Amino acid sequence: MERMRRGARRRAAAKLSSLAMLLAVLVFIVGSGFAGSALAQGEQRGWSWARKFEIDPLSGKRLTKANVLLADQLFDEADAVLDKMRIRSLNANEKTKLYSLRGFVALGREDFAAAREFFELTIAQGFLELEKQADLRFVIARICLQQDKWDEAIANLKKWFTIEKDPNSSAYYLLALAYWQADRKSVV
């Protein structure tokens, strides 16, 4: 029984690393429109409101450079670029991207606790679109599984299921695995 659990954990860990790097690239290539709806509303109301959510050119340059370094798995260099950014001077959009990149850097270093903290900060900024929040919730759930925090994994997967329109079978498998690992007999 214990051997089966260890095997399940190893398979989950292997999938976590590849999924994390894929999501890192996906979130920032596809996610360049973090502020899409906010900027559209701002244009209707006047640019002064929308500018609060624009990415400063210097911040954009640093975020892009860190993203490229992250894609090349140069975690120390990406972290050094992100360290140059002053959090107090960033708007919600820039903070969202900064925390997300820091989370993926930590995930790449296999510092799961820090990654989870940064992803929670990313969501807490309140700037992510619902689909991107769902993606991060799923990553957080997988991190919780990696750390053997079964109840937290279950809670995050349940949040993900409320957001996700069309969940796939692997998500149900992860939820069942978390319940099984937590020695819960009821899925209610």
Side-chain angles (χ1 to χ4, degrees), residues 10-188:
R10 271 186 257 143
R11 284 190 298 279
K15 288 181 183 179
L16 178 65
S17 296
S18 61
L19 176 70
M21 294 315 290
L22 175 64
L23 278 175
V25 174
L26 180 68
V27 164
F28 286 98
I29 290 175
V30 176
S32 60
F34 268 125
S37 60
L39 285 176
Q41 291 173 1
E43 288 177 18
Q44 294 170 355
R45 295 180 184 157
W47 276 106
S48 63
W49 180 82
R51 285 194 178 134
K52 292 192 306 189
F53 301 105
E54 287 182 345
I55 294 179
D56 176 77
L58 180 59
S59 296
K61 182 178 176 182
R62 288 180 176 161
L63 290 168
T64 302
K65 185 174 181 178
N67 191 36
V68 169
L69 292 168
L70 177 63
D72 292 337
Q73 297 184 2
L74 300 171
F75 305 120
D76 292 333
E77 290 85 349
D79 218 13
V81 169
L82 295 174
D83 283 341
K84 293 178 184 176
M85 299 182 74
R86 291 181 30 193
I87 292 178
R88 288 189 312 229
S89 64
L90 301 178
N91 62 35
N93 186 11
E94 293 165 333
K95 285 180 185 178
T96 298
K97 291 187 180 221
L98 172 72
Y99 291 141
S100 183
L101 278 172
R102 285 211 182 269
F104 283 113
V105 167
L107 195 58
R109 290 181 173 153
E110 297 183 6
D111 183 359
F112 300 118
R116 182 172 173 215
E117 183 179 330
F118 282 121
F119 292 145
E120 292 286 356
L121 282 170
T122 301
I123 293 171
Q125 292 303 308
F127 204 75
L128 284 178
E129 297 170 359
L130 208 51
E131 295 82 22
K132 291 182 184 7
Q133 284 182 27
D135 291 342
L136 279 182
R137 276 285 161 221
F138 194 76
V139 171
I140 291 169
R142 293 189 64 125
I143 290 170
C144 291
L145 287 171
Q146 181 68 25
Q147 294 180 306
D148 298 340
K149 295 182 178 180
W150 313 118
D151 291 330
E152 294 172 31
I154 291 167
N156 277 291
L157 281 169
K158 283 185 173 183
K159 287 179 188 175
W160 180 80
F161 276 112
T162 61
I163 299 171
E164 186 61 33
K165 296 173 188 149
D166 188 26
N168 57 25
S169 60
S170 66
Y172 287 105
Y173 169 77
L174 289 177
L175 184 60
L177 176 69
Y179 273 108
W180 182 64
Q181 293 285 2
D183 289 330
R184 286 187 167 168
K185 305 303 180 210
S186 171
V187 186
V188 179

